């Protein structure tokens, strides 16, 4: 066999082998099959969600100001007006992710009634942030507005995937598609652990510049919404709201006493604690 034929055969085998190990090509999804999707990064595909796990907007108590701000921002985006990426940060269990999902439902329903393209919710996991450019490539040509949602976003010491997020939010040649808005929740305002920032300062030649690149990530979010620990009155309002919504029959004083006792045993008051109490109470009273 001539040397040229041998070389060509070898190159063909190499090409076949590379094709086998290459990541699967992202296929254009059918966005009409669902209102919400989860980004499956390893398979480069969007998995439709038949029913989103959410609570009604009316059940979210004690967060009226941030609720109104997020709703207004989302409505403006969905109707083609300027809007900001949003970072919902603060205390655990105060309804950050619940508010994002309830906001999507409210806006999507309103758009459908207006005869406009329905707002779609896309969830991306924190560990898949580096694949954001691929996901954006799928969303950019689609005829729908997309709310891209990452829950519990934060970065550890050796994590460099935040650079992909920075490029997507406010940088790069293409930038963020006009039909995509990014919402994230986090317990950290700057998305970084305090010890991570202190470590950068202590080991860098120029501490200020070393921290600036990572801390500036939160600046890419034009809308910062803070969630703080609720007062006793706000906690009880949440409990009463859940009890009324689900039709629980209980004496007000009994409900108050048991709700406060439940919060004491948990060591905190929050929307999540109120929901957990109602679940327990409903089970005990046979609702």
């Amino acid at each position: 066999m001539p040397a040229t034929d041998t070389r060509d055969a070898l190159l063909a085998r190499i090409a076949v082998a590379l094709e086998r190990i290459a990541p699967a090509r992202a296929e254009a999804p059918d966005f009409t099959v669902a209102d919400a999707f989860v980004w499956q990064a390893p398979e480069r595909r969007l998995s439709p969600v038949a029913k989103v796990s959410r609570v009604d907007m009316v059940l979210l108590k004690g967060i009226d100001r941030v609720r109104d701000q997020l709703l207004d921002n989302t409505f403006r985006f969905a109707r083609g007006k300027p809007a900001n990426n949003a970072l919902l940060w603060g205390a655990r269990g105060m309804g950050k992710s619940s508010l994002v999902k309830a906001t999507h439902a409210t806006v999507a329903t309103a758009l459908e009634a207006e005869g406009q393209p329905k707002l779609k919710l896309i969830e991306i996991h924190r560990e898949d942030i580096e694949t954001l450019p691929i996901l954006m490539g799928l969303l950019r040509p689609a005829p729908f507005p997309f709310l891209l949602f990452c829950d519990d976003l934060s970065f550890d010491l050796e994590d460099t995937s935040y650079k992909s997020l920075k490029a997507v939010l406010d940088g790069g040649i293409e930038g963020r598609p006009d039909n995509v808005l990014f919402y994230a929740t986090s317990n950290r305002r700057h998305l970084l652990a305090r010890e991570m920032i202190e470590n950068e300062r202590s080991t860098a030649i120029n501490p200020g510049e070393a921290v600036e690149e990572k801390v500036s990530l939160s600046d890419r979010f034009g809308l910062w919404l803070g969630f703080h620990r609720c007062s006793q009155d706000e906690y009880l309002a949440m409990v009463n709201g859940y009890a009324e919504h689900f039709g629980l029959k209980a004496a007000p004083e009994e409900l108050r006493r048991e709700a406060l006792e439940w919060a004491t045993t948990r060591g905190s008051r929050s929307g999540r604690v109120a929901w957990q109490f109602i679940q327990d109470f409903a089970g005990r009273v046979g609702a």
Side-chain angles (χ1 to χ4, degrees), residues 35 75 78-79 104-120:
D35 293 333
F75 267 118
R79 289 170 174 152
H104 164 256
T106 301
V107 175
T109 300
L111 287 178
E112 186 176 37
E114 296 171 4
Q116 298 188 44
K118 204 169 184 181
L119 179 66
K120 305 293 181 177

Side-chain angles (χ1 to χ4, degrees), residues 52-261:
V52 177
S53 175
R54 59 164 60 100
V55 298
D56 293 338
M57 184 71 80
V58 296
L59 294 178
L60 299 178
K61 306 292 185 180
I63 55 172
D64 295 0
R65 183 183 61 83
V66 293
R67 176 201 63 200
D68 293 344
Q69 286 182 278
L70 194 68
L71 267 175
D72 178 64
N73 190 68
T74 310
F75 267 118
R76 283 191 279 112
F77 162 71
R79 289 170 174 152
K81 298 179 181 179
N84 280 307
N85 300 308
L87 174 63
L88 291 71
W89 67 275
R92 293 180 176 87
M94 282 304 298
K96 297 186 292 295
S97 59
S98 294
L99 179 58
V100 172
K101 291 183 284 187
T103 296
H104 164 256
T106 301
V107 175
T109 300
L111 287 178
E112 186 176 37
E114 296 171 4
Q116 298 188 44
K118 204 169 184 181
L119 179 66
K120 305 293 181 177
L121 181 66
I122 310 288
E123 182 178 21
I124 181 170
H125 299 130
R126 197 219 64 79
E127 58 269 22
D128 297 327
I129 287 295
E130 287 185 329
T131 65
L132 263 174
I134 299 172
L135 176 56
M136 292 298 189
L138 290 176
L139 304 182
R140 190 182 298 271
F144 295 97
F146 294 98
L147 192 57
L148 190 54
F149 172 49
C150 184
D151 194 22
D152 198 20
L153 180 63
S154 62
F155 298 94
D156 297 322
L157 186 59
E158 302 300 328
D159 198 338
T160 60
S161 60
Y162 69 91
K163 294 181 179 179
S164 298
L165 180 55
K166 285 177 67 175
V168 166
L169 294 179
D170 189 29
I173 296 176
E174 290 185 304
R176 174 172 58 85
D178 292 337
N179 64 333
V180 176
L181 199 64
F182 191 89
Y183 284 178
T185 69
S186 179
N187 296 324
R188 304 167 181 169
R189 183 172 184 176
H190 290 294
L191 304 177
L192 310 172
R194 182 179 297 275
E195 58 269 21
M196 182 178 178
I197 297 177
E198 294 303 325
N199 183 72
E200 292 285 350
R201 287 198 175 102
S202 64
T203 59
I205 295 176
N206 189 325
E209 291 182 1
V211 177
E212 179 64 24
E213 182 181 11
K214 293 182 177 179
V215 172
S216 66
L217 172 60
S218 58
D219 292 339
R220 264 62 178 183
F221 294 90
L223 185 60
W224 286 7
L225 300 176
F227 289 69
H228 309 289
R229 297 188 184 280
C230 62
S231 66
Q232 178 173 296
D233 288 343
E234 289 171 332
Y235 168 71
L236 291 173
M238 295 173 188
V239 169
N240 290 329
Y242 283 134
E244 182 178 352
H245 181 79
F246 294 112
L248 298 182
K249 306 298 182 183
E253 282 306 313
E254 178 190 6
L255 190 66
R256 172 189 171 88
R257 177 179 54 79
E258 293 204 27
L260 292 177
E261 182 179 345

